[in-house]
Amino acid sequence: MEHRSLILLGLLMGQSQHGYQINEFIERNLSTVTDMKKPTAYATLDKLNNKGYIDIQLEQEGNRPTRKVYSINENGRKYFYELLLQNLSSAESVNYQGDIGLMFIDFLPMDQAIPALQERLKKNKKLIDRFSQTPSHGIRTGVNLAVEHKITMLEAEVAFLEKTIKLLQS
């Protein structure tokens, strides 16, 4: 839950927002770093509120239904900085599901395994192209760094696959 809390508190550091705004921003702009869905975001916001890190105000506009506006408070700011420092200083081991296939590749004939790896290579190159088209985020270098990290990791995967395919073809 900590990475989800970090995302939500970080979004509230800039301004108070209602749930729809938060979820729209996550879907449009953060899909490269999180797969958080709306129910999870709302549940995490409720937990952050219950723990005293964010405040909720009810807002009514015209005939629209009442909506909750979420704001980070001083305790939330302290918790945000704590989570941010933990996240930036952590090292993580990434488990690639594709490694499972590599473990058992010897059970396939190479004339099937190599085309499968070539397809994986092609898909990774498309992902690099997609992420490379992400517009720069101006003064907020953090978003740019996250996108660059994703591209760098994909480039490492491409290099690995090209090397592996060449090895298997020889």
Side-chain angles (χ1 to χ4, degrees), residues 31 36-37 42 55 59 65 68 74 87 105 110 113 118-119 129 132 138 140 153:
S31 62
M36 186 171 17
K37 304 293 182 220
Y42 283 116
D55 299 320
E59 183 180 89
K68 293 179 180 179
E74 193 55 39
N87 182 279
I105 198 167
M110 281 304 125
Q118 289 169 330
E119 180 63 22
D129 289 341
S132 295
R140 292 271 173 131
M153 299 309 290

Side-chain angles (χ1 to χ4, degrees), residues 133-149:
Q133 293 173 20
T134 303
S136 178
H137 282 72
I139 61 169
R140 292 271 173 131
T141 60
V143 176
N144 298 335
L145 290 172
V147 172
E148 183 60 30
H149 183 246

Side-chain angles (χ1 to χ4, degrees), residues 66-115:
T66 303
R67 62 183 179 186
K68 293 179 180 179
V69 178
Y70 301 91
S71 303
I72 192 168
N73 58 34
E74 193 55 39
N75 285 337
R77 282 183 183 77
K78 289 177 186 173
Y79 186 52
F80 167 76
Y81 288 119
E82 180 184 315
L83 291 176
L84 181 58
L85 287 170
Q86 284 176 7
N87 182 279
L88 288 173
S89 63
S90 68
E92 57 188 292
S93 174
V94 179
N95 294 322
Y96 295 101
Q97 292 182 3
D99 285 350
I100 297 167
L102 292 173
M103 289 173 52
F104 301 112
I105 198 167
D106 296 321
F107 291 106
L108 273 179
M110 281 304 125
D111 64 340
Q112 291 179 353
I114 291 171

Side-chain angles (χ1 to χ4, degrees), residues 115-164:
L117 291 175
Q118 289 169 330
E119 180 63 22
R120 179 172 162 179
L121 175 63
K122 185 171 86 174
K123 288 176 180 176
N124 277 284
K125 286 181 177 181
K126 283 184 182 180
L127 285 172
I128 290 172
D129 289 341
R130 190 177 106 209
F131 290 128
S132 295
Q133 293 173 20
T134 303
S136 178
H137 282 72
I139 61 169
R140 292 271 173 131
T141 60
V143 176
N144 298 335
L145 290 172
V147 172
E148 183 60 30
H149 183 246
K150 195 70 137 179
I151 291 169
T152 301
M153 299 309 290
L154 286 166
E155 288 171 342
E157 172 77 357
V158 164
F160 169 78
L161 288 169
E162 288 173 342
K163 178 179 156 187
T164 300

Side-chain angles (χ1 to χ4, degrees), residues 4-24:
R4 293 178 181 133
S5 295
L6 179 60
I7 289 169
L8 295 170
L9 291 171
L11 291 176
L12 294 174
M13 286 292 286
Q15 67 182 26
S16 297
Q17 299 180 57
H18 55 81
Y20 180 80
Q21 287 175 298
I22 293 169
N23 283 303
E24 282 297 304

